[in-house]
Amino acid sequence: MDRMTATEAIITAKLAKGLTWPAIAQAVGASKEWVTAGCLGQMTFTAPQAKALGDLLGLTPEVVACLQIPPYRGSLPTAVPTDPLIYRFYELVSVYGTTFKALIHEEFGDGIMSAIDFKMDLTREPDPKGDRVKIVMSGKFLPYRTY
C-alpha cells in the first residue's frame, strides 16, 4: 500500500458517500485544511484519527495503516505546476516571494517561517464583485542560529 493508492481510495469513498472535506475533518477531529492535506497524502494521522477516517469512509485496514506512516511530502508532479489553480500559488510566490522575505526579515530577523509548526484557514469572503478566497497562514518564525 502506498500513499497514492490510499489517496485514491479516500477520494473514491468521499465521492461515493457525498461527503465534504469539512465533514470529514469534523469526524477526524482536526481542521479541514490539515485533514484535507492528510487525505491527499501530505500529513501523518494518529491511530485514532486514521481509525475515525477509516470508519467514516469504510477504508480497508491497509489504507488505515498507511495513513499512519510519515509520507514523502511534496505532492506536485512537476517543478512548475501545470494545474491553473496551483500555478497561481506558484505565480504568487514568484511575484511576492522576495517581498515576503524582505518583510519577514525586517520584522523578525534572519530566519524562515515554519511549514511544520504551521496552521492555515481557508474561507469564502463574500464580495459584490465576485466572492474572494481568503487564506490565512500562520507559521512559527525560526531564526537561523550562529554556532
Side-chain angles (χ1 to χ4, degrees), residues 83-143:
D83 178 87
L85 189 135
I86 296 172
Y87 179 80
R88 293 300 169 245
F89 286 97
Y90 176 81
E91 181 181 44
L92 179 88
V93 171
S94 294
V95 173
Y96 290 103
T98 53
T99 302
F100 294 149
K101 179 178 174 60
L103 293 171
I104 288 170
H105 287 177
E106 183 172 274
E107 177 73 23
F108 294 91
D110 188 15
I112 64 169
M113 182 180 88
S114 176
I116 296 170
D117 190 343
F118 178 85
K119 61 184 176 180
M120 174 177 54
D121 184 47
L122 187 146
T123 55
R124 179 186 292 253
E125 190 175 275
D127 188 295
K129 297 177 188 171
D131 288 357
R132 303 180 68 81
V133 178
K134 181 177 179 182
I135 301 172
V136 177
M137 297 183 288
S138 175
K140 180 179 180 180
F141 179 74
L142 302 172

Side-chain angles (χ1 to χ4, degrees), residues 31-107:
S31 75
K32 71 180 182 293
E33 295 81 10
W34 188 88
V35 170
T36 303
C39 288
L40 297 177
Q42 298 301 302
M43 299 297 166
T44 306
F45 288 90
T46 64
Q49 290 170 328
K51 181 180 181 328
L53 183 62
D55 290 347
L56 177 68
L57 297 177
L59 302 174
T60 66
E62 293 80 18
V63 171
V64 171
C66 182
L67 296 173
Q68 298 170 65
I69 299 169
Y72 182 88
R73 291 181 172 90
S75 60
L76 300 179
T78 59
V80 176
T82 56
D83 178 87
L85 189 135
I86 296 172
Y87 179 80
R88 293 300 169 245
F89 286 97
Y90 176 81
E91 181 181 44
L92 179 88
V93 171
S94 294
V95 173
Y96 290 103
T98 53
T99 302
F100 294 149
K101 179 178 174 60
L103 293 171
I104 288 170
H105 287 177
E106 183 172 274
E107 177 73 23

